[in-house]
């Protein structure tokens, strides 16, 4: 249900006599669960609306006739409750985090509403038949689904949930309803890789184009795995073999349906796929194609600088910059550093690849670096190699808040580096943003 907090002037709701404190109970006789119902019916021309009077408790149902894009004019009390995960996945990253971090990092969401609105991945194991039908009725599309495997027995084992085998029926029902799905599989060596992964890809491709793609990502392993399910890390040979399987499947399908995470290319020492491989980059937040897009953006930004200046651009004052990144991004950033130095006169760029001591050396991506690790590495580096500016990636901090995973704030890190006389700058805009920072 939705409790009304505001009724806009000259709106349909105002004409109906709705007031603050009234409660939306149902649309077309279907129970109103949250704002997804309201957003769906806001686009319809006709429906019935059931409202409970906030003072008398009396319910009344009225017929609504309006223009398709005409809003009812209501705002509601915010509902912060989310559907949480009921699984015990053997590869769960949350279970591998140390204690004492901010509480939000331990929340295991598995909410199909957040999948629709924010692109969060969900397993659907907590989804009732009624919930499945609601998704179809409201046409909540696209959805991002953690499939992992289409082998029902194996999925129950990996997710440690006896209801996990329903995924095959759920995918089929969603496809029938025209729901677009972006799927992922976290690959556990010797479990859902090899022939099982090939089988999963083929079964999902049978629902193409409703199932748009299948991302495959390696298991994230931290040093906090005592007592957890034994999982082997991925080496170069394994990554190369897995990439060969991906290429084989995509040739079979005739489209780039299977999308491997960038980490596989890093491990295998292979070139990244061109940007065209990833289409609209609909799984980029999953680490799929991020590096290719980043390099493409860097090239375009440097080309633009060259074109505007009729050749090599010169800084007003020479400077030395250092890009801070995770170990897996070192070679890519070194390529960027060289290209930037070649294009911008007076610029020297170094790359500082930081080992992840907080989570363990098996965690190598930039986005999981902590403030404490970056600060320790920078102090050691700057003591030996003075420079003018330090460049940090924006994705190392909480969205909309300058705080790192470890709880250290950006201001605290800056104050700790004052003695070195460096300016700390943040790149929040990919390859183009990095070039913009370097060229100023």
């Amino acid at each position: 249900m939705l409790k009304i907090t505001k009724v806009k002037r000259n709106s349909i709701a105002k004409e109906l006599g709705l007031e603050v404190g009234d409660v939306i109970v149902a649309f077309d006789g279907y129970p109103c669960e949250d704002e997804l119902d309201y957003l769906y019916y806001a686009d319809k021309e006709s429906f019935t609306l059931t409202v409970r009077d906030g003072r008398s408790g009396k319910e009344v149902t009225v017929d609504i006739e309006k223009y398709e894009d005409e809003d009812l004019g209501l705002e509601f009390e915010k509902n912060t409750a989310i559907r949480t995960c009921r699984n015990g996945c053997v590869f769960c990253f949350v279970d591998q985090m140390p204690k004492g971090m901010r509480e939000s990092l331990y929340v295991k969401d598995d909410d199909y509403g957040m999948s629709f609105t924010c692109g969060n991945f969900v397993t659907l194991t907590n989804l009732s038949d009624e919930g499945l039908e609601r998704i179809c009725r409201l046409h909540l599309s696209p959805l991002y689904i953690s499939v992992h495997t289409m082998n029902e027995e194996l999925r129950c084992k990996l997710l440690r949930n006896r209801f996990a085998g329903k995924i095959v029926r759920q995918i089929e029902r969603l496809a029938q309803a025209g729901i677009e799905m972006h799927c992922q599989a976290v690959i556990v060596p010797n479990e859902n890789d090899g022939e099982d992964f090939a089988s999963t890809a083929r079964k999902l491709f049978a629902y193409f184009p409703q199932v748009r793609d299948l991302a495959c990502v390696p298991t994230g392993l931290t040093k906090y795995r005592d007592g957890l399910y034994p999982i082997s890390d991925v080496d170069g040979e394994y990554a190369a073999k897995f990439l060969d399987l991906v290429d084989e499947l995509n040739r079979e399908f005739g489209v780039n349906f299977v999308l491997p995470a960038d980490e596989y290319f890093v491990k295998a020492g292979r070139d990244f796929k061109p940007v065209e491989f990833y289409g609209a980059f609909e799984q980029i937040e999953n680490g799929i194609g991020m590096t290719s897009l980043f390099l493409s953006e860097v090239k375009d930004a440097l080309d633009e600088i060259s074109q505007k200046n009729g050749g090599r651009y010169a800084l007003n004052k020479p400077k030395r910059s250092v890009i801070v990144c995770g170990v897996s991004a070192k070679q890519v950033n070194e390529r960027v550093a060289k290209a930037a130095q070649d294009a911008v006169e007076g610029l020297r760029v170094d790359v500082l690849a930081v080992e992840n001591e907080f989570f363990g050396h098996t965690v190598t991506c930039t986005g999981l670096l902590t403030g404490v690790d970056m600060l320790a590495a920078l102090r050691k580096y700057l003591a030996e190699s003075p420079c003018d500016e330090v460049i940090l990636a924006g994705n190392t901090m909480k969205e909309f808040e300058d705080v790192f995973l470890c709880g250290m704030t950006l201001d605290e890190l800056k104050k700790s580096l004052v003695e070195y006389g460096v300016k700390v700058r943040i790149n929040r805009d990919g390859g183009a943003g990095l070039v913009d920072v370097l060229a100023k």
Side-chain angles (χ1 to χ4, degrees):
M1 295 184 289
L2 294 171
K3 187 175 183 179
I4 298 172
T5 58
K6 182 177 180 180
V7 180
K8 297 179 182 178
R9 296 173 59 184
N10 303 318
S11 66
I12 295 174
K14 191 71 173 179
E15 292 177 7
L16 290 172
L18 300 186
E19 298 180 349
V20 172
D22 291 347
V23 177
I24 305 298
V25 177
F27 290 96
D28 275 345
Y30 293 102
C32 175
E33 294 188 25
D34 51 42
E35 284 198 55
L36 292 176
D37 296 282
Y38 179 77
L39 294 172
Y40 174 75
Y41 283 94
D43 285 338
K44 293 178 70 69
E45 294 181 344
S46 62
F47 53 90
T48 63
L49 176 67
T50 303
V51 182
R52 179 185 301 154
D53 188 285
R55 288 173 291 184
S56 68
K58 182 180 178 180
E59 291 187 5
V60 60
T61 299
V62 296
D63 294 320
I64 303 292
E65 298 285 343
K66 66 179 187 63
Y67 294 111
E68 185 176 339
D69 58 351
E70 187 178 9
D71 185 45
L72 290 178
L74 293 171
E75 293 182 11
F76 306 99
E77 187 175 82
K78 296 299 180 184
N79 180 10
T80 57
I82 63 171
R83 299 171 183 87
T84 54
C85 181
R86 299 178 182 175
N87 308 312
C89 298
V90 300
F91 45 76
C92 180
F93 194 83
V94 176
D95 290 342
Q96 304 177 67
M97 293 200 302
K99 297 179 180 179
M101 302 174 73
R102 59 178 186 266
E103 290 186 12
S104 61
L105 294 173
Y106 301 100
V107 176
K108 300 181 183 181
D109 69 272
D110 203 0
D111 192 310
Y112 65 79
M114 293 181 68
S115 181
F116 170 64
T117 57
C118 305
N120 293 16
F121 276 92
V122 289
T123 65
L124 304 182
T125 56
N126 61 0
L127 185 65
S128 65
D129 290 342
E130 292 76 16
L132 182 63
E133 291 308 313
R134 180 177 184 243
I135 290 173
C136 297
R137 176 170 56 84
L138 299 183
H139 199 73
L140 302 183
S141 177
L143 290 180
Y144 292 76
I145 303 175
S146 291
V147 174
H148 305 310
T149 176
M150 290 287 272
N151 179 320
E152 297 182 19
E153 182 179 349
L154 179 58
R155 192 169 195 259
C156 290
K157 173 188 174 182
L158 293 179
L159 273 62
R160 289 179 175 170
N161 187 323
R162 62 191 178 93
F163 299 107
K166 297 190 296 183
I167 190 65
V168 177
R169 177 174 63 84
Q170 291 170 328
I171 293 287
E172 182 173 7
R173 178 68 186 96
L174 292 171
Q176 289 173 348
I179 304 297
E180 183 177 300
M181 291 165 274
H182 298 281
C183 298
Q184 77 161 347
V186 175
I187 304 300
V188 181
N190 304 313
E191 295 285 0
N192 62 336
D193 54 358
E195 284 303 315
D196 182 82
F197 179 74
S199 175
T200 292
R202 292 184 179 110
K203 288 178 180 178
L204 288 172
F205 186 72
Y207 298 106
F208 183 83
Q210 270 65 53
V211 175
R212 294 297 304 168
D213 45 42
L214 171 61
C216 37
V217 300
T219 306
L221 303 175
T222 78
K223 65 183 181 182
Y224 301 98
R225 289 196 57 82
D226 290 346
L228 297 181
Y229 191 88
I231 298 176
S232 302
D233 197 9
V234 173
D235 60 17
E237 182 180 356
Y238 181 99
K241 185 177 180 180
F242 190 82
L243 288 175
D244 289 341
L245 175 59
V246 169
D247 288 341
E248 180 183 324
L249 287 168
N250 284 334
R251 284 194 296 269
E252 177 184 326
F253 299 149
V255 295
N256 296 324
F257 177 76
V258 184
L259 307 175
D262 294 4
E263 188 173 345
Y264 285 114
F265 296 96
V266 174
K267 293 275 189 179
R270 291 188 178 180
D271 291 338
F272 297 97
K273 296 288 187 182
V275 291
E276 294 78 17
F277 177 86
Y278 301 99
F281 288 92
E282 290 167 307
Q283 294 233 33
I284 193 165
E285 296 298 328
N286 208 9
I288 309 295
M290 189 177 291
T291 306
S292 294
L293 182 61
F294 176 76
L295 290 171
S296 176
E297 290 173 343
V298 167
K299 182 180 183 304
D300 290 345
L302 290 175
D303 286 347
E304 184 177 351
I305 287 177
S306 179
Q307 291 169 8
K308 282 184 177 180
N309 294 277
R312 199 164 186 238
Y313 170 70
L315 292 173
N316 292 329
K317 180 181 178 181
K319 71 173 182 178
R320 180 177 178 179
S321 306
V322 57
I323 300 171
V324 179
C325 64
V327 172
S328 62
K330 180 182 180 182
Q331 291 186 346
V332 167
N333 278 289
E334 287 176 340
R335 287 171 58 183
V336 171
K338 183 179 184 307
Q341 289 176 157
D342 290 344
V344 180
E345 186 176 339
L347 174 66
R348 176 178 172 181
V349 186
D350 297 331
V351 175
L352 175 60
V354 179
E355 290 276 8
N356 199 318
E357 304 295 342
F358 191 89
F359 287 113
H361 292 185
T362 52
V363 177
T364 60
C365 63
T366 302
L368 288 175
L369 286 177
T370 60
V372 292
D373 282 344
M374 288 189 287
L375 177 58
L378 281 167
R379 279 174 167 162
K380 182 178 180 180
Y381 174 85
L382 294 172
E384 301 173 356
S385 306
C387 69
D388 300 294
E389 67 179 11
V390 169
I391 303 173
L392 306 181
N395 66 352
T396 58
M397 288 175 282
K398 186 178 180 181
E399 190 173 14
F400 309 121
E401 190 176 346
D402 291 341
V403 58
F404 300 102
L405 282 168
C406 58
M408 177 185 289
T409 66
L410 177 60
D411 282 343
E412 288 172 338
L413 183 141
K414 287 181 176 180
K415 289 177 182 177
S416 298
L417 295 177
V418 167
E419 63 181 288
Y420 300 100
V422 296
K423 183 175 183 179
V424 178
R425 304 180 68 182
I426 310 300
N427 172 35
R428 305 182 190 274
D429 194 24
L434 180 57
V435 171
D436 185 58
V437 171
L438 289 172
K440 287 183 178 179

